Amino acid sequence: MDPIAGWVFGTGLMTLGMLIHYVRNQVANGNIGRNSAVGIRTRATMSSDSAWEAGHASAGPLLAATFLTAYAAGALTLAVALAATLSGGGNPAVIAVPLTGYGAALVFLVAAAVKANAAAREADRPSG
């Protein structure tokens, strides 16, 4: 596989990690409230401000796992791309590593959304 793919995928994973990291921190700090553009937007999390906050607080650890996974997979992909570039040959790991990284990040994102949705439903449940 062409090492250029590794550079592109590695940069993409690092960018994904930075975006998720930034949004998670901004929501956690209260700088991004309920909106239709960024964050975990399910019917439950969008139902109220308290549901939005509860959902994102609950999903925080999984979102951290997501961006840490993206960073690690991106760094590993860039290292493999560098090795492939310096050796002058292709290497199947140039594709296998980032695909695994993107897959793992997707699994963490889905798990975060499920957890956020459950916490948001609980936050909006009438007490009594």
Side-chain angles (χ1 to χ4, degrees):
M1 202 40 53
D2 189 0
I4 297 297
W7 293 106
V8 171
F9 284 131
T11 302
L13 278 162
M14 297 300 279
T15 303
L16 175 67
M18 287 187 282
L19 288 171
I20 293 169
H21 193 170
Y22 176 78
V23 170
R24 177 194 154 266
N25 287 345
Q26 292 301 305
V27 171
N29 292 334
N31 297 330
I32 298 177
R34 186 169 45 134
N35 69 85
S36 62
V38 296
I40 299 172
R41 296 174 320 279
T42 66
R43 185 177 303 216
T45 61
M46 295 295 289
S47 65
S48 70
D49 289 338
S50 62
W52 174 267
E53 291 166 10
H56 283 82
S58 177
L62 285 168
L63 292 172
T66 303
F67 69 72
L68 290 173
T69 298
Y71 287 152
L76 184 57
T77 299
L78 292 172
V80 169
L82 177 62
T85 300
L86 294 176
S87 71
N91 187 334
V94 170
I95 295 297
V97 171
L99 289 180
T100 302
Y102 279 115
L106 180 61
V107 167
F108 282 127
L109 280 176
V110 169
V114 168
K115 188 164 186 170
N117 195 61
R121 285 177 186 240
E122 187 64 33
D124 271 354
R125 183 170 297 171
S127 58

